[in-house]
Amino acid sequence: MDKQPPAFFPTRYWHKEEGKHQGEDLVTCDLCPHHCHLREGKRGICYVRMNHQGKIVLTSYGRSSGFCIDPIEKKPLNHFYPGSSVMSFGTAGCNLSCQFCQNWEISKSREIDTLCDTAMPEQLALVAKEQGCKSIAFTYNDPVIFMEYAIDVAVAAKALGLKSVAVSAGYMCDQPRVDFYRHMDAANIDLKGFTEAFYHKICHGQLQPVLDTLLYLKHQTSVWFEITTLLIPGENDSDQELNKMCQWIAENLGLNVPLHFSAFHPDFKMMDKESTPLATLLRARKIALSYGLHHVYCGNVHNSESDSTYCPSCQQLLIARDWYQLGEYNIDESGHCLHCGQLLAGRFAGPRENFGRRRVPVRIE
């Protein structure tokens, strides 16, 4: 087993431009809607994909900003093997430039020292298995930009009986989307707002490709997915925008997709904004519930009622949560309500797990 990560890993989604531009050959990356046009030696917006000898290569394969064991609820995934632990890791860079990024030290890093830990796919999967994890999560920065590494880890994980989880903004092109999600078992998609103006001004991207990802996951895959929206005061938290978003989710994705409204806190280039009050999250939750969505949660705040799961049929409490710690648990091993027998949407198997709220850093030698 090769334990040394390659400096340049080949990728699939790119093409050469016809002719020369200002005397130089250009290569266009086809991974995401930015379609970066790169001269020799130049990197894309994501930072980790570059033109090397006339081809787009990945420069972060096998390199990570760190490995940590988390509760699955922290991703957040509330309906994917509740109470289980997940090996989490990311690399560096991102293909969006969100002014509010709360992982900006990683996602906007331009320093190779950020990638201080290394692990080839087989190593990573083996350690996750040995640590008792149910799954491996590609998170902290968007796995789309290191998809070759993520896919190889997912393949190694599957060979050991582990699941793979993508925590992503869903900002990618059609064919890479098919390739990537073929290997994922679950995803949390960050739906950052519900207007093109918000995506353009705040994230330097577009809304439609994200909606395309959600539609693809719902109608063309068996991937379990949940949605997170970080509510920023005065930017994406108006009743009008929330109504449009919740209506679209209900009509296009169904009533069972879990929706997480998360609280913003001042960070990166939005230090002048106030933190999101709990009242805003509860208002958003009320709007979502009014459209019939069954599972709507409030995150980054301490409010056990809005972080718990209820039966959509009999309305009884099924899973109580308090800062990722599970409490009362009223579903059987296959996810049926113990009160009325209704099957809860999600992925459930075997006896209850209770990893709790711990966060365990891991070094992979």
Side-chain angles (χ1 to χ4, degrees), residues 303-343:
N303 186 264
S304 184
E305 180 181 357
S306 64
D307 200 25
S308 297
T309 298
Y310 303 87
C311 178
S313 179
C314 70
Q315 311 305 317
Q316 293 294 311
L317 175 66
L318 297 186
I319 306 174
R321 297 184 186 85
D322 185 5
W323 285 130
Y324 313 125
Q325 181 74 48
L326 302 191
E328 190 173 345
Y329 196 83
N330 296 311
I331 61 174
D332 66 17
E333 294 187 1
S334 56
H336 292 86
C337 172
L338 294 181
H339 301 286
C340 71
Q342 173 73 35
L343 178 62

Side-chain angles (χ1 to χ4, degrees), residues 69-112:
I69 301 176
D70 292 317
I72 191 67
E73 287 79 10
K74 195 173 183 179
K75 297 306 98 187
L77 287 172
N78 283 355
H79 293 238
F80 188 75
Y81 306 109
S84 65
S85 60
V86 54
M87 175 74 82
S88 302
F89 79 98
T91 60
C94 188
N95 61 342
L96 289 176
S97 300
C98 302
Q99 296 179 19
F100 53 85
C101 183
Q102 299 181 351
N103 283 326
W104 65 269
E105 298 95 335
I106 296 172
S107 68
K108 306 320 296 178
S109 175
R110 294 296 183 267
E111 299 294 334
I112 199 66

